[in-house]
Amino acid sequence: MSVFKVIARCEETGARAGELYTPHGVVETPAFMPVGTRAAVKTMSPHELEFLGVQMVLGNTYHLYLRPGVDVVERAGGLHRFMGWRGGVLTDSGGFQVFSLAPFRRVTDEGVEFQSHLDGSRHFLTPEAVVSIQERIGSDVAICLDECVPYPATYDVSRKAVDRTIDWAVRSKAAHVKRDQLLFAVVQGSLFEEQRRRCAEELLAMDFPGYAIGGLSVGEPHEDMYGVLDLLNGILPQDKPRYLMGVGLPENILAAISLGVDMFDCVLPTRNGRHGSVFTSKGRINANASYFACDFSPLDADCDCYVCRHFTRAYIRHLLKAGEVLGVRLCTWHNLHFFADLVRKARRAIIDGRFMEFKRRFEDELKEELSS
């Protein structure tokens, strides 16, 4: 049985609605995965995430390896039992940390040597070790170790990273023995068409069950990101899931869905929520703003989430200004609902044959608010 099935396609774009089969249930795609780097989505309980309709969360191999440690998670019965989560879990390889923690690491063809940001201890992770860690903690989807380069990157720097990413994918696949865990390879290549194409084609020859798209949303213009996705939409197999790593803004997600992407993760809903920055159908608002002090309307009049049905902008602003953690939780709750609801509605629109109408309406409302 295939691990992924496309059940509907948009006739005008590359958008598709699908089903990803995992040991912890079916994930309906397009899907947004809240980031639970350290086995927790900040301020939210697993029960609340289920209430929001979240089907899969993301954890990070690098961070879980350092704390609490693989042995602890393994002894707890795996990551799902450790964190009390019944849905799917995708674990990133730590490849992005190779990119973001540049002062603390050294990359070689063999693997990555890094200094812990927690206690300064030194560690060396190979592609094989990263696969073993993800197998032991028991995620549903594991990601091969890859090398992400910054933007802008020179041709040669990107080429070397692609060479390593391909080599590490070969080694990762050879090391992977957990049959009920899906191992995704990562397509790198910065903004170089020839490198993206070569990386994708060499990874396709290895026949992974799914493919992640890395190295985007690192500072490049949105149109350049869409150009890479458009290229890969014509290369990556139509019968396998595609995961765009670390993206992003609602408008980015809808554009990527139209270019054939199925899975997304991003820290924006939780990170912005912690600062009172709220996503709405009319664009982002700052819930800390003084003009909300006596505004007794919901955060988003078009939203039916628990927060918007029960609380006002004035109350949430009061909580934030008073330093009450409930204010952060309510902003985060609403943001996560907004992202989960966005992809859920996009999926429904694809199935109903009206995805372009849905996308245009969302973009028009956003433009109207920005111009007002």
Side-chain angles (χ1 to χ4, degrees):
M1 177 181 174
S2 172
V3 301
F4 181 72
K5 179 171 68 174
V6 176
I7 64 169
R9 300 178 189 274
C10 171
E11 294 183 358
E12 300 175 67
T13 71
R16 68 254 194 98
E19 295 175 342
L20 176 66
Y21 302 98
T22 81
H24 289 86
V26 178
V27 177
E28 296 180 337
T29 65
F32 180 80
M33 301 176 289
V35 175
T37 300
R38 300 171 180 84
V41 176
K42 291 187 184 300
T43 79
M44 301 292 290
S45 73
H47 172 73
E48 290 165 339
L49 295 174
E50 287 185 32
F51 184 81
L52 290 172
V54 171
Q55 300 168 79
M56 178 173 272
V57 299
L58 179 140
N60 184 268
T61 302
Y62 165 86
H63 287 283
L64 294 171
Y65 162 77
L66 290 178
R67 184 171 57 191
V70 181
D71 289 343
V72 172
V73 177
E74 195 171 34
R75 288 176 61 186
L79 194 53
H80 297 80
R81 288 188 180 181
F82 184 59
M83 63 188 293
W85 171 246
R86 297 186 294 183
V89 175
L90 179 149
T91 44
D92 188 6
S93 66
F96 185 76
Q97 279 62 45
V98 172
F99 161 76
S100 64
L101 299 176
F104 305 100
R105 53 81 169 150
R106 183 175 65 91
V107 182
T108 69
D109 290 344
E110 184 60 26
V112 183
E113 181 184 29
F114 65 93
Q115 185 176 7
S116 168
H117 68 287
L118 298 175
D119 60 11
S121 58
R122 303 201 72 84
H123 305 263
F124 191 79
L125 288 180
T126 64
E128 293 85 357
V130 168
V131 165
S132 175
I133 291 167
Q134 293 178 91
E135 288 182 330
R136 289 175 62 192
I137 63 179
S139 56
D140 299 284
V141 178
I143 306 294
C144 295
L145 185 65
D146 64 302
E147 184 177 3
C148 177
V149 297
Y151 172 84
T154 67
Y155 184 91
D156 284 344
V157 166
S158 178
R159 178 183 56 78
K160 289 176 182 176
V162 167
D163 290 343
R164 280 200 182 110
T165 295
I166 293 169
D167 179 58
W168 290 354
V170 172
R171 292 164 55 186
S172 297
K173 197 169 195 300
H176 188 242
V177 296
K178 187 174 171 59
R179 294 302 99 193
D180 63 346
Q181 181 185 62
L182 307 178
L183 181 66
F184 285 18
V186 185
V187 180
Q188 291 288 355
S190 189
L191 300 182
F192 301 105
E193 178 176 335
E194 174 269 328
Q195 292 184 17
R196 286 283 179 179
R197 182 180 298 276
R198 177 171 68 91
C199 189
E201 289 175 349
E202 294 210 27
L203 295 177
L204 293 188
M206 301 178 211
D207 194 28
F208 285 88
Y211 295 91
I213 302 167
L216 295 176
S217 194
V218 292
E220 79 283 354
H222 291 172
E223 290 307 315
D224 288 342
M225 173 173 67
Y226 301 154
V228 171
L229 296 179
D230 188 35
L231 170 72
L232 294 178
N233 185 35
I235 301 173
L236 295 176
Q238 293 294 319
D239 60 347
K240 293 188 177 182
R242 305 164 180 181
Y243 160 39
L244 179 56
M245 308 175 82
V247 177
L249 293 168
E251 55 268 34
N252 293 158
I253 289 175
L254 285 185
I257 289 173
S258 74
L259 294 168
V261 176
D262 307 296
M263 301 164 66
F264 303 87
D265 81 280
C266 191
V267 298
L268 283 180
T270 50
R271 178 180 290 169
N272 282 28
R274 295 196 297 278
H275 298 285
S277 177
V278 176
F279 292 89
T280 78
S281 57
K282 308 299 183 185
R284 273 177 284 179
I285 63 172
N286 180 4
N288 293 284
S290 59
Y291 47 81
F292 290 148
C294 291
D295 186 340
F296 302 108
S297 62
L299 290 174
D300 186 351
D302 296 326
C303 180
D304 65 352
C305 78
Y306 169 79
V307 177
C308 289
R309 285 186 287 110
H310 291 89
F311 305 103
T312 67
R313 293 177 172 184
Y315 178 63
I316 292 171
R317 177 185 182 273
H318 156 69
L319 294 174
L320 293 171
K321 303 307 283 187
E324 292 287 348
V325 71
L326 180 59
V328 171
R329 277 179 38 74
L330 294 181
C331 289
T332 301
W333 184 303
H334 167 83
N335 281 349
L336 288 172
H337 170 88
F338 182 87
F339 277 69
D341 195 51
L342 177 68
V343 295
R344 190 160 45 237
K345 288 176 177 176
R347 185 178 197 274
R348 186 73 258 166
I350 295 168
I351 293 172
D352 292 345
R354 52 180 182 81
F355 173 74
M356 279 306 298
E357 175 190 343
F358 169 78
K359 181 173 178 287
R360 287 195 194 102
R361 187 185 308 118
F362 180 89
E363 292 170 342
D364 288 345
E365 289 183 356
L366 203 59
K367 289 177 184 175
E368 183 179 326
E369 183 65 20
L370 291 173
S371 63
S372 63

